[in-house]
Amino acid sequence: MEIWINPACSKCRGALTLLDAEGADYTVRRYLEDVPGEDEIRAVLDRLGLEPWDITRTQEAAAKELGLKEWPRDAGSRDRWIAALAGHPKLIQRPIITADDGTALVARSEEAVREALSRSER
């Protein structure tokens, strides 16, 4: 299991605390330093079952500068969104946990972290 985090994020720190309390085996990826490429973002989106706009932090300064709120949310715009996430990783919602069963979750709640744990303990 891998968790994408920003150490400054309280939700990320909370997820790590819960993973540690449960004795989970996981790898930390500080995605602002180890930036995922477009192909990695596509793979995680597939695992999440989401579209790039679903995991975009639209309140970030970079999102406002890019005018993301005005971008179409359709198949034709998908690559443009993915390129924006790869170019501005701060826009990626966090934390994201990739579970051992091939799925992934945006783990912003304790319930989501526990769900990722259950998917990884099989």
Side-chain angles (χ1 to χ4, degrees):
M1 163 168 49
E2 182 176 77
I3 181 169
W4 291 11
I5 69 155
N6 173 350
C9 167
S10 63
K11 298 281 187 192
C12 294
R13 291 191 308 270
L16 292 174
T17 298
L18 181 55
L19 291 174
D20 288 342
E22 295 293 327
D25 182 23
Y26 64 92
T27 302
V28 170
R29 179 170 186 174
R30 294 178 180 224
Y31 71 93
L32 296 179
E33 299 163 16
D34 182 8
V35 179
E38 291 182 28
D39 288 341
E40 283 182 283
I41 293 170
R42 280 187 192 86
V44 165
L45 287 167
D46 288 345
R47 292 176 77 167
L48 288 165
L50 297 173
E51 293 297 336
W53 44 86
D54 296 326
I55 65 162
T56 300
R57 298 172 52 84
T58 58
Q59 297 305 312
E60 291 288 335
K64 292 175 181 174
E65 289 169 20
L66 293 169
L68 288 182
K69 285 191 175 184
E70 314 308 316
W71 288 14
R73 296 176 180 215
D74 57 28
S77 301
R78 190 170 200 263
D79 286 343
R80 181 180 182 199
W81 282 85
I82 290 169
L85 293 174
H88 306 274
K90 203 168 195 179
L91 296 176
I92 300 172
Q93 190 58 263
R94 61 193 184 246
I96 293 176
I97 298 177
T98 57
D100 293 342
D101 70 353
T103 63
L105 293 111
V106 177
R108 295 189 57 74
S109 67
E110 181 176 323
E111 295 77 26
V113 175
R114 290 192 184 284
E115 177 67 20
L117 281 166
S118 74
R119 294 179 185 186
S120 291
E121 293 174 345
R122 292 187 182 140

